[in-house]
């Protein structure tokens, strides 16, 4: 007859179950952004490249995959992955081993490219809507300047079949063609603008004399994103 006391074994079993269920929220938290709101990337690109077809350009925002993180609608932030932005499909793609996956655009608030030290180098955001410009809340915008008056860029890509012929080989080629559209956002209102002094000053609207003086004294041409960001930084100080 076995007279051993089963209580210690039962106690150990209960303790094991308790620790397992306590660990479940931690496991869910550690994988948020990798298995939530994502799917294996089933490309929607309706492009079938022929074996002899030359395609110029690319649908990728960056030539190399870059460390980055994604901010989701539920305010969770994903772990750092190698990511890229597919400007043709307007989707954030990341690598999970040898598999590429896409974040559901309806669940994304934005994403950030990072340097090797984990510092943010570029940021894209969603949540901007404007019927006049055909912009919906899921469209991604690159943030160039994020002050009281924001300076944003929208990247869009089209694919042009048989764009032209090579001048040397006379062989037809197709091409990805990117357009970058700039916007100012002031008091919640979006205004399309251009990298040109007259456009930027007119689209800001006020303090034109002070801004013009600053442009001259700082030798800004307002033909670069950096020049416009410097001007908006000054504008936010004098408003």
């Amino acid at each position: 007859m076995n007279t051993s006391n089963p209580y210690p074994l039962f106690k150990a079993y209960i303790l094991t179950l308790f620790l397992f269920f306590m660990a479940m929220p931690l496991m869910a938290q550690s994988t948020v952004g990798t298995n939530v709101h994502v799917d294996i990337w089933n490309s929607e690109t309706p492009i079938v490249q022929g074996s002899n077809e030359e395609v110029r350009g690319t649908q990728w925002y960056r030539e190399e995959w870059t460390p980055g993180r994604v901010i989701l609608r539920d305010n969770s932030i994903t772990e750092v992955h190698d990511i890229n932005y597919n400007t043709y499909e307007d989707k954030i793609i990341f690598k999970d081993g040898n598999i590429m996956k896409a974040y559901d655009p309806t669940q994304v608030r934005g994403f950030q490219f990072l340097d090797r030290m984990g510092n943010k180098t570029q940021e894209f955001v969603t949540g901007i809507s404007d019927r006049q410009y055909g912009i919906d809340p899921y469209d991604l915008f690159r943030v160039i300047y994020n002050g009281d008056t924001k300076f944003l860029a929208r990247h869009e890509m089209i694919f042009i079949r048989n764009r032209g012929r090579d001048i040397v080989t006379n062989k037809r080629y197709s091409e990805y063609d990117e357009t970058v559209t700039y916007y100012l956002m002031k008091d919640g209102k979006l205004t399309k603008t251009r990298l040109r002094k007259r456009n930027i000053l007119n689209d800001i609207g006020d303090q034109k004399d002070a801004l013009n003086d600053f442009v001259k004294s700082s030798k800004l041409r307002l033909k670069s994103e950096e020049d416009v960001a410097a001007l908006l930084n000054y504008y936010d100080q004098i408003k």
Side-chain angles (χ1 to χ4, degrees), residues 11-28:
K11 184 177 179 181
Y13 174 72
I14 294 298
L15 180 61
T16 302
L17 285 178
F18 174 76
L19 292 175
F20 174 77
F21 285 111
M22 285 293 291
M24 286 183 67
L26 296 177
M27 289 188 289

Side-chain angles (χ1 to χ4, degrees), residues 107-122:
Q107 301 298 327
V108 170
R109 289 183 56 192
F111 73 95
Q112 300 169 348
F113 286 116
L114 309 173
D115 63 20
R116 292 297 173 182
M117 300 299 293
N119 301 310
K120 178 177 68 176
T121 58
Q122 276 189 324

Side-chain angles (χ1 to χ4, degrees), residues 36-51:
V36 180
H37 305 316
V38 301
D39 208 340
I40 293 177
W41 186 40
N42 182 14
S43 175
E44 298 173 358
T45 308
I47 297 169
V48 178
Q49 182 178 345
S51 58

Side-chain angles (χ1 to χ4, degrees), residues 112-149:
Q112 300 169 348
F113 286 116
L114 309 173
D115 63 20
R116 292 297 173 182
M117 300 299 293
N119 301 310
K120 178 177 68 176
T121 58
Q122 276 189 324
E123 182 173 22
F124 287 71
V125 298
T126 65
I128 299 169
S129 181
D130 192 296
R131 189 174 298 177
Q132 175 186 355
Y133 298 124
I135 296 167
D136 67 51
Y138 307 132
D139 291 337
L140 284 158
F141 284 82
R142 178 166 56 90
V143 181
I144 304 168
Y145 178 76
N146 193 22
D148 294 336
T149 302

Side-chain angles (χ1 to χ4, degrees), residues 43-104:
S43 175
E44 298 173 358
T45 308
I47 297 169
V48 178
Q49 182 178 345
S51 58
N52 295 320
E53 181 181 9
E54 179 186 354
V55 176
R56 299 182 179 181
T58 176
Q59 56 189 309
W60 299 108
Y61 176 72
R62 291 197 167 189
E63 293 183 3
E64 296 182 355
W65 291 74
T66 305
R69 58 190 170 214
V70 179
I71 299 91
L72 302 175
R73 292 283 175 191
D74 59 8
N75 292 322
S76 62
I77 301 176
T78 71
E79 61 189 71
V80 176
H81 299 284
D82 282 339
I83 66 173
N84 213 329
Y85 174 32
N86 186 313
T87 52
Y88 184 81
E89 296 185 28
D90 206 23
K91 289 182 179 179
I92 309 161
I93 313 297
F94 73 96
K95 290 183 177 180
D96 185 5
N98 294 324
I99 301 174
M100 288 196 290
K101 296 182 179 180
Y103 285 96
D104 179 352

